[in-house]
Amino acid sequence: MVNTASVKQYGLYVDGEWIETKKEMNVLDKYTQETAAKVSVAEKHHVDQAVQGAKQALKTSFSPYTRYEVLMKVAELLVARKEEFAQVLAIEVGKPIRESRGEVERAAQTLQLSAEEAKRIHGDGVPVESAAGSENRMAFTVRVPVGVIAAITPFNVPLNLVCHKIGPALAAGNTVVLKPAEVTPICALKLAALFQEAGLPTGRLQIVTGDGEQIGTWLLDNPDVNMFTFTGSPRVGELIRSKAGLRKVALELGNNSATVVHSDANIEQAASLISQKSFNNAGQVCISVQRVYVHQEVYTTFIEKLKEKTQQLVVGNPMSEETDIGPMIRLKEVERVDAWVQEAKSQGAIIEVGGKANGSFYAPTILTNVKDNMKVCRQEIFGPVVAVAIYTEIDEVIARVNDSEYGLQAGLFTNDLSFAMKAAREIEVGGLIVNDASAYRVDHMPYGGVKNSGSGKEGPKYAIEEMTEERIIVLNL
Ligand code: NAD
């Protein structure tokens, strides 16, 4: 039963106005599967209006210091409303409340970092005078905004990843048209209200909600969009890249993250961190640990500890303080994950823990006796499943980690400096985390992958480089 009194309505945010459209979509509470909110679905003219509004807003003044002030103010408002935003995350994503609070805190930090960067966007001096015939010239570069940026974001971290787009884009003087994931748009819309309250100039931020493919097509067809910044699946990332033409594109895509546990590692620490970082947000994290390679000498000890720690995880209502693992985003994702696990089992994998679906939940699952070519190892599972394999040689394990179409981050537990340095040189990823699992991120580090994990970096300082153009100014004296 839908309790209509508690169902909130959200409109589009276009040119500083909240627009309710005729067509709406339901946003489900991922735990109860009831409708939690109704959100407007944009038509083509709304998307065009948002892009035009964003283009016009580029002409209005928004100084770096004012950008700093607005972004800091939104961060402050977000901290003040932490519990309210955390509860929305717990409802729309199904993310456990403790983890949801962490996301709100990080989102506020991402905005603060963006605010700070707004004050230090700079170019370089260029010694043109050292070229023969240019003795009377001087030159320097400035970084200018790219213009209208279309930002398209995924369901799994719908507040902080939105801040990773909006924060740097606004800090760099751009305007943004945001298309949040259709299953989790509420946090982004509530965030827009905070920007409005903080005095963001009209038109700098526009939010259009609705079907991804449809809105994506309208944005891609609109020549006034200057750049696309996308976080999501490789399939959609590739499509955006192919349709964006000569425009700038930044892509943060998937991964089947590997973590290596070497013979000299602290096994207690490794098992503890891997059990957390395989199952956070029900494994729906792009750097979630999916493949673990354990040295044969420590395999038995490691697997026993990992099983013990995983069995202690509490699966349940995301609103409960006790819960470690909530529901998955969609029932069909639960079915897909289970099908992959059952397929692995039929090919010889052993289900050590879990391996069961229960409504919108999938039990945290450990597989052993896996082969590298099984789907659970080769493709991105994006669910609470970790596949553990044994290795004997360092060169062998590096080759197995690299035998992937992805390359976002990897983890390595070892105290052997030469192994760590060899891995730093040879593992093909955007980030290698030594003595932690692959899923380590703080918001100011450069974050982004190689191979099918994408191109371009996030982290406000690095995203600003993507979201600005370098212009050279040459003075002839
Ligand atoms: P998704 O690709 O299905 O959707 C992402 C966004 O794209 C959504 O807003 C969706 O509406 C939109 N979209 C869908 N079809 C589109 C189209 N044809 N044109 C334009 N936009 C379209 O991804 P998801 O299921 O929301 O998220 C999971 C994926 O995101 C995983 O692969 C995960 O690894 C990846 N991810 C990557 C990072 C990172 O930083 N590298 C972070 C989080 C998630």
Side-chain angles (χ1 to χ4, degrees):
M1 261 300 275
V2 176
N3 175 0
T4 44
S6 66
V7 174
K8 297 220 172 78
Q9 309 269 140
Y10 292 89
L12 316 173
Y13 185 60
V14 176
D15 285 343
E17 304 284 337
W18 293 93
I19 301 176
E20 291 195 4
T21 60
K22 283 188 225 118
K23 196 170 163 202
E24 290 178 324
M25 58 187 189
N26 293 336
V27 178
L28 299 185
D29 175 326
K30 305 306 180 291
Y31 177 61
T32 63
Q33 295 290 311
E34 290 178 355
T35 300
K38 287 183 175 287
V39 174
S40 284
V41 172
E43 293 175 28
K44 182 172 184 301
H45 69 92
H46 297 120
V47 174
D48 289 344
Q49 186 188 341
V51 174
Q52 274 316 302
K55 189 178 174 188
Q56 288 305 317
L58 285 168
K59 296 178 185 153
T60 59
S61 155
F62 191 30
S63 72
Y65 194 77
T66 319
R67 297 173 210 161
Y68 162 81
E69 286 183 316
V70 169
L71 287 162
M72 288 301 268
K73 180 71 188 166
V74 179
E76 190 187 310
L77 292 171
L78 201 49
V79 170
R81 297 184 201 173
K82 178 167 124 183
E83 198 56 30
E84 177 190 332
F85 271 82
Q87 288 188 9
V88 172
L89 284 171
I91 290 169
E92 69 173 342
V93 188
K95 185 173 286 187
I97 190 74
R98 285 179 286 121
E99 208 181 323
S100 294
R101 288 188 194 114
E103 181 174 343
V104 182
E105 284 163 14
R106 282 187 53 186
Q109 282 168 26
T110 302
L111 294 175
Q112 284 163 0
L113 290 161
S114 302
E116 288 159 9
E117 292 301 330
K119 293 196 287 188
R120 45 184 184 236
I121 297 170
H122 63 88
D124 291 313
V126 182
V128 288
E129 62 276 19
S130 62
S134 283
E135 289 79 1
N136 289 332
R137 294 177 195 236
M138 290 174 97
F140 59 93
T141 62
V142 290
R143 297 206 76 97
V144 296
V146 295
V148 177
I149 298 182
I152 302 178
T153 48
F155 75 81
N156 60 333
V157 190
L159 182 61
N160 194 27
L161 291 184
V162 160
C163 289
H164 269 286
K165 308 279 187 212
I166 298 178
L170 295 179
N174 299 288
T175 56
V176 185
V177 180
L178 173 76
K179 209 302 284 170
E182 47 269 64
V183 284
T184 57
I186 307 174
C187 270
L189 293 162
K190 287 175 70 70
L191 185 70
L194 300 194
F195 272 103
Q196 201 175 19
E197 190 178 334
L200 182 73
T202 303
R204 287 264 157 191
L205 172 63
Q206 318 263 350
I207 304 193
V208 285
T209 44
D211 176 65
E213 191 176 342
Q214 185 63 89
I215 294 182
T217 303
W218 292 329
L219 287 169
L220 283 156
D221 286 347
N222 194 319
D224 288 325
V225 176
N226 303 104
M227 176 181 175
F228 291 86
T229 172
F230 172 78
T231 302
S233 61
R235 179 188 68 80
V236 178
E238 202 172 345
L239 187 135
I240 290 174
R241 160 85 70 216
S242 71
K243 288 193 172 171
L246 299 178
R247 294 175 286 185
K248 275 197 158 194
V249 177
L251 299 173
E252 302 293 337
L253 310 176
N255 201 30
N256 58 348
S257 311
T259 292
V260 176
V261 182
H262 197 45
S263 50
D264 66 339
N266 178 334
I267 301 301
E268 179 69 31
Q269 180 198 32
S272 179
L273 287 165
I274 290 172
S275 73
Q276 291 162 32
K277 294 181 177 188
S278 301
F279 306 121
N280 272 346
N281 200 21
Q284 301 164 120
V285 178
C286 49
I287 42 179
S288 195
V289 185
Q290 179 174 337
R291 299 178 287 153
V292 180
Y293 297 99
V294 188
H295 194 273
Q296 63 169 3
E297 285 173 18
V298 289
Y299 175 77
T300 311
T301 320
F302 172 81
I303 201 74
E304 284 314 313
K305 285 190 188 291
L306 183 67
K307 279 162 63 174
E308 185 190 313
K309 290 178 192 302
T310 302
Q311 278 157 343
Q312 288 164 6
L313 296 171
V314 177
V315 180
N317 185 344
M319 284 297 188
S320 162
E321 297 292 335
E322 313 304 318
T323 296
D324 297 303
I325 301 176
M328 291 191 67
I329 197 71
R330 290 185 179 95
L331 295 171
K332 78 172 191 333
E333 294 302 316
V334 176
E335 286 164 19
R336 178 188 57 78
V337 166
D338 193 46
W340 290 20
V341 168
Q342 299 312 325
E343 182 184 287
K345 187 181 170 199
S346 72
Q347 293 167 346
I350 297 166
I351 300 175
E352 301 279 354
V353 175
K356 286 191 198 70
N358 177 14
S360 55
F361 288 87
Y362 201 75
T365 298
I366 302 173
L367 299 175
T368 57
N369 206 36
V370 290
K371 310 263 179 328
D372 291 353
N373 61 1
M374 288 177 179
K375 214 184 268 174
V376 290
C377 296
R378 198 143 278 293
Q379 297 185 24
E380 181 183 37
I381 193 155
F382 222 58
V385 178
V386 65
V388 186
I390 301 173
Y391 75 93
T392 50
E393 302 296 331
I394 284 176
D395 283 325
E396 169 212 335
V397 78
I398 290 179
R400 288 171 76 185
V401 169
N402 286 343
D403 182 20
S404 165
E405 63 187 80
Y406 297 110
L408 185 50
Q409 287 197 170
L412 167 61
F413 286 91
T414 185
N415 291 305
D416 176 345
L417 189 57
S418 64
F419 184 11
M421 287 180 65
K422 183 177 169 67
R425 291 195 187 97
E426 295 181 18
I427 291 188
E428 298 157 358
V429 281
L432 175 72
I433 315 297
V434 179
N435 280 328
D436 201 342
S438 52
Y440 171 83
R441 182 179 185 186
V442 288
D443 293 286
H444 56 292
M445 71 188 222
Y447 184 78
V450 298
K451 303 198 252 184
N452 287 358
S453 294
S455 56
K457 297 282 181 204
E458 288 202 337
K461 174 173 178 251
Y462 308 94
I464 285 171
E465 284 175 20
E466 309 280 345
M467 293 173 171
T468 50
E469 303 280 5
E470 191 166 40
R471 179 178 294 162
I472 187 158
I473 313 296
V474 181
L475 305 177
N476 185 11
L477 304 177

